[in-house]
Amino acid sequence: MPTIAVGSDHAAIAMRQAIATHLAARGIDVIEVGPGVGEKSDYPDQAHLVASAVVRHEADLGILCCGTGIGMSIAANKVAGIRAALVHDPVTARLAAQHNAANVLCLGGRLLAEDYANELVDHWLDTAFEARHQGRLDKIAALESSGA
Ligand code: RB5
């Protein structure tokens, strides 16, 4: 049974909750982090929690939602080993898995309807990585230790 960590800031609470419900309905174990309704939070805090859960193997994958998904993707990609992809449509959701082996999916809670976000989550989860792209992932990993 896979485990997925799902986080949001205050701008995407409804999306986070909808995704957590959707994942549970798929039989996926969910770790949910983020503020409650009426609370504020800073997206780097949830990005850190979710990214850390993934690289420590407490979760197999992560999903992060903020207003645009931009801040979450920038923050999560600061954590070594994270390949966070901001997606907006089925094509980018599938390619994030197929080409990039994205281990964190980022979504914009102020841009997408919750049902549509769940469709994008399904596209990402149901698409396999193509091994011919592995060399590029290795080059990304090398950037993490290049210091430049
Ligand atoms: C919060 O107002 C907003 O800046 C945040 O949710 C996100 O969109 C940042 O990228």
Side-chain angles (χ1 to χ4, degrees), residues 32-90:
E32 191 175 348
V33 297
V37 175
E39 297 175 346
K40 289 267 182 189
S41 72
D42 296 326
Y43 59 83
D45 296 334
Q46 279 75 42
H48 182 212
L49 289 171
V50 167
S52 296
V54 172
V55 296
R56 291 178 188 155
H57 305 292
E58 296 158 7
D60 299 290
L61 296 167
I63 298 174
L64 286 165
C65 310
C66 63
T68 60
I70 295 171
M72 285 295 196
S73 60
I74 292 171
N77 277 316
K78 298 295 182 191
V79 176
I82 292 299
R83 293 178 302 279
L86 172 58
V87 306
H88 297 287
D89 53 67

Side-chain angles (χ1 to χ4, degrees), residues 95 98-99 129-136:
L95 288 175
Q98 192 176 333
H99 286 204
F129 175 61
E130 286 182 351
R132 66 192 172 93
H133 296 285
Q134 184 58 51
R136 290 150 190 161

